[in-house]
Amino acid sequence: MSRRDSADPMSEAQARRILRAEARRTRLLMALSLPCAFLLYLGFQIWLLDRPLGESLISAALILCGVGLVQYLFFGPVWIRRPGGPLVEARVERVGTSGSRDEVVVLRRGDVSVRVVMPRGTSGFRRGDTVLVCPRLDYGNSMGLVVPEHVSSTRPVLTVRGSAA
């Protein structure tokens, strides 16, 4: 049985490049949603509410600023806001499936064990695999998990939320 991941683990520099590229892509998608929301709200104000253009522009700009701030601070995970944060190495302790057939992985680092449900389309984790998470391995918080090369996944970095194992 070939253990390519154990013999040739992903370097931290390569993981950081992947993490930064995915964070850039996600921030771009978040930023592109703001002009769409702005134009929709502006159209709603002018067309349905018959408000003047100047008044509509001011209220739409204020709402856009609020929505952008909330989206960045509360909906953007920490690894997207600070992709240069610390990368922590963790080992896959157990692999199983949940009731909805999603892959469940238990990650361990020292005395901390975290249970993570992987998104649909992710499969191939094996016991003993090494993964990198950003910013830290902890339950109750979202983290960016850099997927090893041998694992099939929809994205190279997954946003996952850990729970107590």
Side-chain angles (χ1 to χ4, degrees):
M1 180 171 148
S2 171
R3 297 293 305 226
R4 182 173 179 252
D5 57 307
S6 297
D8 188 22
M10 184 182 299
S11 70
E12 185 173 336
Q14 183 181 8
R16 283 200 184 282
R17 277 194 305 276
I18 292 169
L19 194 68
R20 283 193 177 112
E22 280 298 299
R24 236 184 345 265
R25 184 188 76 72
T26 305
R27 282 194 308 263
L28 179 65
L29 290 174
M30 288 170 63
L32 288 176
S33 70
L34 292 177
C36 292
F38 177 78
L39 291 174
L40 284 172
Y41 185 75
L42 188 63
F44 175 78
Q45 289 272 328
I46 294 171
W47 185 57
L48 289 177
L49 299 179
D50 291 327
R51 290 207 173 141
L53 180 63
E55 183 182 320
S56 297
L57 281 172
I58 291 171
S59 65
L62 290 173
I63 287 180
L64 178 73
C65 290
V67 167
L69 190 64
V70 167
Q71 183 178 5
Y72 181 76
L73 293 176
F74 298 111
F75 295 134
V78 174
W79 73 269
I80 292 173
R81 293 193 313 258
R82 292 189 306 252
L87 277 172
V88 177
E89 193 173 277
R91 285 237 181 260
V92 174
E93 191 174 86
R94 283 192 318 263
V95 179
T97 55
S98 68
S100 60
R101 301 263 186 216
D102 294 329
E103 190 167 65
V104 176
V105 176
V106 176
L107 302 174
R108 183 176 190 79
R109 180 170 195 260
D111 60 345
V112 177
S113 286
V114 175
R115 178 182 181 267
V116 176
V117 178
M118 295 296 158
R120 291 199 187 281
T122 305
S123 64
F125 279 98
R126 298 182 298 233
R127 187 169 192 253
D129 283 348
T130 300
V131 297
L132 294 167
V133 294
C134 178
R136 64 184 175 277
L137 184 65
D138 194 8
Y139 53 89
N141 295 321
S142 66
M143 56 193 139
L145 186 136
V146 182
V147 179
E149 292 176 350
H150 70 277
V151 175
S152 66
S153 175
T154 55
R155 303 286 336 142
V157 179
L158 301 174
T159 299
V160 294
R161 182 171 297 277
S163 60

